[in-house]
Amino acid sequence: MPWRKPDLTAVPYISLAAAIAGLFVARAMPSIAMIAMVAYALLLTDPRKSFSLFLRDRVLIALWLVFFVYLLSGINSTHDHEFLLERIRLKLPFLALPFAFTVFKNKISPNQFYSLLYFFLLLITVTAIIISFSFYKNFSSILIAYGQGRVIETPFNHIRYSLMVSFGIITGFYLFTKKFFIRYSWEPWVILGVIFFLIYFQHLLAVRSGIVAIYLCGIYMVFYFLLSIKKLKTALLLTLIILLFPVAAYFSMPSMKARADYMRFDLEQLFFFNNASGLSDAGRILSIEKGMEIFREHPLIGAGIGDLRVEMKKKLDAAPEHPRDVLLPHNQFVFVAAGTGMFGLLIFIFAIVLPLSRKRLLTNWLFICFHIIIISSFFTEATIEEQMGTGFYLLFLLLMYVFIESNES
């Protein structure tokens, strides 16, 4: 029997699913999966065609620029080479994934896209159930931790995880509106139940970045239902939920109340007593202030992305009642500005905002809500200065981008 060449067309889809699973399971999985996707694009397709598709796409090229901004900033970094290499390593996905995703252009079907979203929703739901069980099993001790500014353990990073929970809620709603199911016609109603569970879980988790993100998405959806598709009753119902649910959650969920009370105590310590030592929010605000000081001192090319940790330590050590740890700016824009200056910041903003300039993408509310979640987090967190945040941002940005550009008019 003659040898037949194996069919490897499923490799990029399996790799993408593995990368998504890695956001919850193991740090090495997204990196291995990304390598597999790049290898497929280089070795198992026509690389000339892949590069041609890449070079004709301004959005993909703009994402590449983020990597080169960090790389070139190394020329201006002279003190902390270890930190510089760490920053460049974390930005390698900006170099690899935009090219790797060319294999999906004009090929990914609605069913494949919805199935990947469904898989992500399943992962979020399973981890949320496990965390909820742990929360109630250790209820008293966890509430004490919340009162001290700590949170329950989540996969890798609680802030990035809470952002993914918010996107899981939006993803579930999107799949419900599409009436998508794998096997049984009643699956959309299960998805609806999952949505309500995840909303409850987001408030139980009580991570403010995720909560703020989901309510900002809710406000956007009110205007979408009101102005775009003229569904007044749905818009009014959503408005009522947005107004009443936070109040109900504060008075009925101890974790929300403990978190809010600690936040008030934390900010009082900073603004009334000038104390940021060992405090979460006070340290965050102080880190942003010091990051802005570094930016003002090095406005054009920044202090050098590799020297940012050294410069922040100098600033924080000089502050009265400074934080115990060396904090980096808890604002993605300030982080980039302090490290790479105005030139780097403008390129970074251009790369982030460019996808939103496409009319076809602006008509997709899932895509818009994703950017609301990501960009809102940039103001209180250096979201993509960590592997999980970078993976989450690029995997779903590129997945939605290639699907919408290929399938939706």
Side-chain angles (χ1 to χ4, degrees):
M1 183 176 179
W3 180 83
R4 291 195 307 173
K5 184 178 179 181
D7 184 4
L8 299 176
T9 55
V11 168
Y13 297 93
I14 295 171
S15 300
L16 179 53
I20 293 171
L23 298 175
F24 304 91
V25 178
R27 288 184 182 276
M29 279 182 65
S31 299
I32 295 170
M34 290 176 195
I35 291 170
M37 292 171 67
V38 173
Y40 182 89
L42 285 172
L43 304 176
L44 298 175
T45 66
D46 182 351
R48 291 173 299 178
K49 182 179 179 182
S50 296
F51 273 109
S52 177
L53 286 171
F54 173 79
L55 293 173
R56 292 202 304 266
D57 196 310
R58 291 178 298 170
V59 170
L60 300 183
I61 292 173
L63 290 172
W64 242 25
L65 294 178
V66 174
F67 170 80
F68 286 107
V69 163
Y70 276 63
L71 183 66
L72 292 174
S73 182
I75 299 172
N76 194 34
S77 305
T78 57
H79 296 100
D80 194 342
H81 293 100
E82 180 184 352
F83 185 72
L84 172 62
L85 290 175
E86 180 187 348
R87 292 303 102 192
I88 293 175
R89 177 183 63 82
L90 287 171
K91 292 299 170 288
L92 279 173
F94 280 88
L95 180 67
L97 284 179
F99 171 73
F101 266 81
T102 57
V103 303
F104 296 109
K105 295 195 77 172
N106 303 316
K107 292 180 180 178
I108 186 168
S109 69
N111 191 63
Q112 290 168 329
F113 177 67
Y114 300 152
S115 295
L116 287 165
L117 294 181
Y118 203 35
F119 179 58
F120 172 74
L121 181 62
L122 175 64
L123 291 169
I124 280 286
T125 304
V126 170
T127 55
I129 290 171
I130 294 171
I131 293 168
S132 299
F133 178 78
S134 177
F135 187 101
Y136 286 110
K137 183 180 178 181
N138 306 282
F139 187 76
S140 299
S141 60
I142 288 175
L143 278 188
I144 292 172
Y146 270 70
Q148 297 171 347
R150 294 176 286 137
V151 294
I152 191 171
E153 185 177 348
T154 62
F156 304 127
N157 182 285
H158 67 280
I159 294 175
R160 278 76 173 179
Y161 178 75
S162 74
L163 298 176
M164 290 197 290
V165 172
S166 293
F167 187 58
I169 294 168
I170 299 299
T171 295
F173 188 52
Y174 182 78
L175 292 172
F176 178 76
T177 61
K178 297 294 182 181
K179 298 181 174 59
F180 177 74
F181 61 90
I182 296 290
R183 186 170 182 179
Y184 301 105
S185 59
W186 45 259
E187 288 178 46
W189 297 105
V190 175
I191 291 175
L192 184 62
V194 165
I195 295 169
F196 284 109
F197 165 69
L198 289 177
I199 293 172
Y200 167 82
F201 173 73
Q202 185 72 287
H203 291 82
L204 182 73
L205 193 62
V207 176
R208 288 157 300 174
S209 298
I211 292 173
V212 169
I214 198 61
Y215 281 107
L216 288 175
C217 288
I219 293 169
Y220 164 76
M221 291 304 294
V222 167
F223 286 100
Y224 175 81
F225 283 121
L226 195 61
L227 302 177
S228 296
I229 58 177
K230 312 296 183 183
K231 290 191 176 181
L232 178 60
K233 290 182 179 179
T234 305
L236 290 175
L237 178 61
L238 194 54
T239 301
L240 190 63
I241 293 173
I242 291 171
L243 293 175
L244 296 181
F245 205 95
V247 178
Y250 176 80
F251 287 105
S252 64
M253 304 179 73
S255 57
M256 278 283 292
K257 189 176 187 306
R259 193 71 172 163
D261 291 345
Y262 176 80
M263 182 177 69
R264 183 169 58 248
F265 164 77
D266 193 331
L267 295 177
E268 286 173 353
Q269 290 295 307
L270 176 65
F271 293 119
F272 294 133
F273 304 105
N274 201 30
N275 175 29
S277 179
L279 299 174
S280 174
D281 294 321
R284 288 170 181 273
I285 294 171
L286 190 62
S287 75
I288 295 172
E289 290 177 354
K290 299 307 176 184
M292 286 300 299
E293 287 182 16
I294 294 172
F295 175 51
R296 286 193 290 268
E297 292 170 4
H298 308 274
L300 294 180
I301 59 174
I305 204 74
D307 290 350
L308 187 55
R309 182 165 61 183
V310 172
E311 295 297 321
M312 284 295 294
K313 187 177 188 307
K314 291 178 184 177
K315 294 289 184 182
L316 293 170
D317 285 346
E321 295 294 332
H322 60 80
R324 297 168 189 163
D325 302 320
V326 178
L327 297 175
L328 296 168
H330 276 261
N331 179 301
Q332 186 65 56
F333 300 112
V334 174
F335 190 106
V336 174
T340 67
M342 180 59 72
F343 291 125
L345 178 63
L346 290 176
I347 292 172
F348 176 77
I349 292 174
F350 172 75
I352 298 299
V353 174
L354 184 61
L356 297 172
S357 67
R358 299 283 187 95
K359 184 178 180 181
R360 183 179 296 181
L361 298 171
L362 281 174
T363 60
N364 185 288
W365 57 264
L366 178 69
F367 191 77
I368 297 298
C369 284
F370 175 77
H371 277 83
I372 290 172
I373 291 167
I374 292 295
I375 294 175
S376 67
S377 75
F378 281 178
F379 290 96
T380 56
E381 187 72 20
T383 309
I384 57 174
E385 298 304 325
E386 192 265 356
Q387 183 188 21
M388 187 177 179
T390 300
F392 171 55
Y393 172 63
L394 284 177
L395 288 172
F396 285 100
L397 168 68
L398 290 167
L399 174 60
M400 288 186 289
Y401 174 66
V402 296
F403 170 73
I404 297 167
E405 286 287 287
S406 303
N407 290 276
E408 297 189 0
S409 58

